[in-house]
Amino acid sequence: VGNPAMDYAVNLNSENKSLSTSLQKNDKWCDDRKHVLVAEQYGYMHKSGEFYVKFSKDEIIRNLDATLEACRVNQAQMIVRPHPTLDPKLYIDWCNQAGSDALMGTDWDLNEIFGLSDLLVSNMSTIMIDAMYRKCPVLIVNYSDSGNLVPLDKMGIAQGVMIEDQAFFDAKVG
């Protein structure tokens, strides 16, 4: 892909659905459910393409709540993995309040998470390139094709929706 840090993704087996020891020890993990990886970002490009919208803590919680509701509608378990530059405490606290429907995946190997995930939900992020190589479907939230630099939807890699859209809640996992 032109970035040596991404070369590992080309050689990964996307059919690997086995749990590592670290995940086996997680008492919230449900083998019999779909799994949605949520790669949280700090904001998104405004649909005008002229400025970046940064999420407040309240907006992050609202986005997580909306995503969790969509997961529950689809009987899916949510794996939360915030961007490394974000403070994980907010996400840890949120996952603890969400109960068994949301897992905190910050300390898990990203390759392993992709091997177990049925869908990636994110804002514009390079993690979508990992998903592409792992053949994991991508849903871009707070997405406007006029405001994103890489048209992943037009490339057939992702589907974009605004988080408030009914399509977000109607999207079926897997």
Side-chain angles (χ1 to χ4, degrees):
V1 297
N3 180 343
M6 302 298 262
D7 287 347
Y8 71 90
V10 177
N11 299 318
L12 294 173
N13 177 1
S14 63
E15 300 303 317
N16 180 13
K17 292 278 186 179
S18 62
L19 289 173
S20 73
T21 305
S22 63
L23 288 175
Q24 287 172 345
K25 292 178 183 175
N26 188 306
D27 59 348
K28 288 182 168 186
W29 184 267
C30 294
D31 281 328
D32 60 343
R33 293 172 73 182
K34 299 284 186 181
H35 292 91
V36 175
L37 171 58
V38 177
E40 265 294 275
Q41 292 284 26
Y42 33 81
Y44 63 98
M45 182 65 75
H46 186 267
K47 65 183 178 181
S48 69
E50 296 179 11
F51 61 94
Y52 197 79
V53 177
K54 187 173 178 184
F55 292 131
S56 68
K57 287 184 179 183
D58 288 342
E59 289 168 326
I60 290 169
I61 297 297
R62 186 192 73 208
N63 291 344
L64 289 169
D65 288 344
T67 307
L68 180 63
E69 179 58 28
C71 287
R72 286 176 172 159
V73 165
N74 287 282
Q75 291 85 44
Q77 201 168 28
M78 185 170 152
I79 303 168
V80 179
R81 188 171 177 105
H83 191 275
T85 61
L86 295 170
D87 180 8
K89 183 178 178 351
L90 172 71
Y91 300 93
I92 292 168
D93 292 346
W94 183 88
C95 282
N96 288 337
Q97 291 178 347
S100 64
D101 291 330
L103 307 166
M104 187 67 178
T106 303
D107 296 331
W108 299 344
D109 180 73
L110 185 57
N111 297 316
E112 182 178 13
I113 294 173
F114 269 120
L116 299 166
S117 297
D118 299 287
L119 176 70
L120 168 66
V121 175
S122 184
N123 303 92
M124 189 55 66
S125 171
T126 57
I127 199 170
M128 292 179 205
I129 296 170
D130 291 280
M132 177 182 69
Y133 280 107
R134 295 305 301 261
K135 295 180 176 65
C136 180
V138 177
L139 184 65
I140 308 172
V141 293
N142 295 318
Y143 174 85
S144 168
D145 62 357
S146 65
N148 287 307
L149 302 175
V150 181
L152 294 175
D153 65 328
K154 292 176 180 70
M155 296 166 66
I157 296 169
Q159 178 179 349
V161 297
M162 292 302 289
I163 204 163
E164 294 86 7
D165 290 347
Q166 186 60 39
F168 178 74
F169 291 100
D170 293 341
K172 294 296 179 195
V173 176

